[in-house]
Amino acid sequence: MLSEEEKLELSQDFSFWSLMKFVFPSIFTFVFIAIYQIVDGMFIEKFVDDLAISAINLYYPVICLFIALGIMLGTGGNAVMVKKLGEGKHDEANVSFSSAIIFSVVLGVLLTAICLIFAEPIMRACGATDVNIGYLRPYYYTLSTFSIAIILQSELGILIIGEGKSVVAAVVIMIGGVLNCVLDYVFMKFFGMGIMGAALATIIGYLCTVIYAVYFYFIAKKSVYKFKFVVPKFKEIGFICYNGSSDMISNMVGGVSALIMNHLALKFYGEEGQSALSVALYLNFFLEAVFMGLTSAVEPIFSFHYGSGNVEMRKKIFKLSNIWIVILSVLLFLGAFFFAGPLVEIFFEKGTRIYDITYLAFRVSVYACFFLGFNTFYSGLFTAFSNGFISALLSIIRTLVVLIACLYACSALFDGFGLWLAIPVSEAISLLVCMIFIIKYRKKYEYW
């Protein structure tokens, strides 16, 4: 059963400010995850060249798959485990926890083998050309070799947050982020390791969460869950994956969308367009990470009160979450819009063609801020209520169907400009779809 401290964390009577105090560490955590990629790009551009930065975005579809699977097992497992704890089913929660961890390791081994065996065709499929595949190759091989670490980092960070240890998780992720930044500089400047150094620094940053998790779960044994060596049952893993499928699809399909955008950027702007796209997506992912952090933090609250039957608290958290999303959306938009120039200058010199492409991309795509927070939260809400089907459906519609349709439609109408315009347009359309489901299910889950 949950400890008294954990019960207090999840069942407290949240106010406007106490909710932000609760979710802020989680936001910090996701922002630092985004920083991992951003810092790599900064140092690659500085110590290699402008075109080399495209390697990160070309690899994005692959790392998206790893992260997506980890998030799926983390959010899906977290909702299942916390609900079981809320129902008093402690032993079943332990089995779910153990099954998720063991399955993650097996999955990581399998994916590493596949990625290394089929490396060349995968890199070409991601949009690599003869010009930039030389940059991509060392980055691809290094990160793919350690896919287990990437999956576990994404999964364990969420599970630790789900136990009410959001501050601890944020600190560990922060340490990993700082270490990644420092090692990027050391490996690339002093050891001359180039892009491989950036990849290695990223992996070491990811490993910080994994190392802490080993301490937390196995050495200090501070977790409410007890790990057991079990043979994961298909039904148990299937339900966890199904329940977290929306978060997985949102991230994985993001990789598919990035792949399509890579090819469109190459078509309209050449290899410089692929590098510009990399930076524009870094900055947009940084903004989205804020809402991913908020959603990840409030999901366990909804799951707990769904299991305990507290309707009033569900309604209150729903209202407060929406208010904070509005505030954060406005603040992020204003900051990103007015500081777009200095942000892009971190990567590219002002006055160059690649700077102009990136500046245009970011200034246009940043309007998505007004919609993506709600889309992320509403999809995660159904995950918290163990309705993986609706959550997954919303993610598919948003990040696959609508976005890809908008990418091709807008680029057909407005050429290169349409590539960037498609991002806010697709988010606006997706919000309309989300609202249909939020209204439809408001009586069933009683959050409104």
Side-chain angles (χ1 to χ4, degrees), residues 58 123-133 136 263 274:
L58 291 171
M123 285 188 282
R124 291 291 182 178
C126 287
T129 65
D130 291 335
V131 174
N132 54 29
I133 196 169
L136 174 61
H263 287 281
Q274 290 182 321

Side-chain angles (χ1 to χ4, degrees), residues 95-305:
V95 172
S96 297
F97 169 75
S98 303
S99 297
I101 299 299
I102 293 171
F103 180 73
S104 302
V105 175
V106 174
L107 189 62
V109 172
L110 250 170
L111 286 172
T112 296
I114 292 171
C115 287
L116 295 182
I117 293 171
F118 300 102
E120 292 296 320
I122 291 174
M123 285 188 282
R124 291 291 182 178
C126 287
T129 65
D130 291 335
V131 174
N132 54 29
I133 196 169
Y135 297 122
L136 174 61
R137 193 173 284 115
Y139 195 78
Y140 175 97
Y141 277 104
T142 304
L143 285 172
S144 296
T145 301
F146 293 94
S147 63
I148 297 176
I150 301 172
I151 293 171
L152 286 175
Q153 192 267 358
S154 303
E155 176 186 6
L156 293 169
I158 293 171
L159 292 180
I160 293 171
I161 290 171
E163 293 198 53
K165 307 295 182 183
S166 55
V167 175
V168 174
V171 170
V172 173
I173 295 291
M174 191 187 308
I175 291 172
V178 172
L179 190 60
N180 180 38
C181 296
V182 173
L183 292 179
D184 263 332
Y185 185 77
V186 172
F187 289 160
M188 298 179 74
K189 179 176 176 62
F190 295 106
F191 293 169
M193 295 176 69
I195 293 177
M196 182 182 291
L200 189 58
T202 298
I203 290 298
I204 293 173
Y206 282 137
L207 283 172
C208 285
T209 300
V210 179
I211 292 170
Y212 174 76
V214 171
Y215 165 79
F216 181 74
Y217 289 112
F218 299 101
I219 299 175
K221 296 182 179 179
K222 295 181 177 181
S223 172
V224 67
Y225 305 116
K226 298 293 185 292
F227 181 82
K228 299 178 179 179
F229 286 100
V230 298
V231 177
K233 295 180 180 178
F234 178 78
K235 184 177 180 180
E236 180 75 14
I237 291 298
F239 186 69
I240 289 174
C241 293
Y242 169 76
N243 198 45
S245 58
S246 70
D247 301 271
M248 177 203 71
I249 291 170
S250 179
N251 284 270
M252 189 168 68
V253 173
V256 175
S257 301
L259 187 150
I260 293 172
M261 293 177 80
N262 276 329
H263 287 281
L264 289 174
L266 180 65
K267 174 184 176 182
F268 292 115
Y269 299 106
E271 280 86 4
E272 284 185 320
Q274 290 182 321
S275 292
L277 175 63
S278 298
V279 174
L281 291 181
Y282 297 158
L283 297 175
N284 276 284
F285 180 61
F286 181 88
L287 301 177
E288 186 172 6
V290 173
F291 301 112
M292 291 172 67
L294 183 147
T295 301
S296 179
V298 297
E299 278 180 3
I301 303 175
F302 281 109
S303 295
F304 181 83
H305 290 298

Side-chain angles (χ1 to χ4, degrees), residues 231 365 387:
V231 177
S365 62
N387 193 335

Side-chain angles (χ1 to χ4, degrees), residues 383-416:
T383 298
F385 293 134
S386 296
N387 193 335
F389 175 76
I390 297 300
S391 190
L393 181 63
L394 290 176
S395 292
I396 292 173
I397 291 172
R398 174 196 171 201
T399 55
L400 182 64
V401 179
V402 175
L403 177 57
I404 292 178
C406 288
L407 282 171
Y408 283 115
C410 291
S411 60
L413 291 171
F414 305 106
D415 296 326

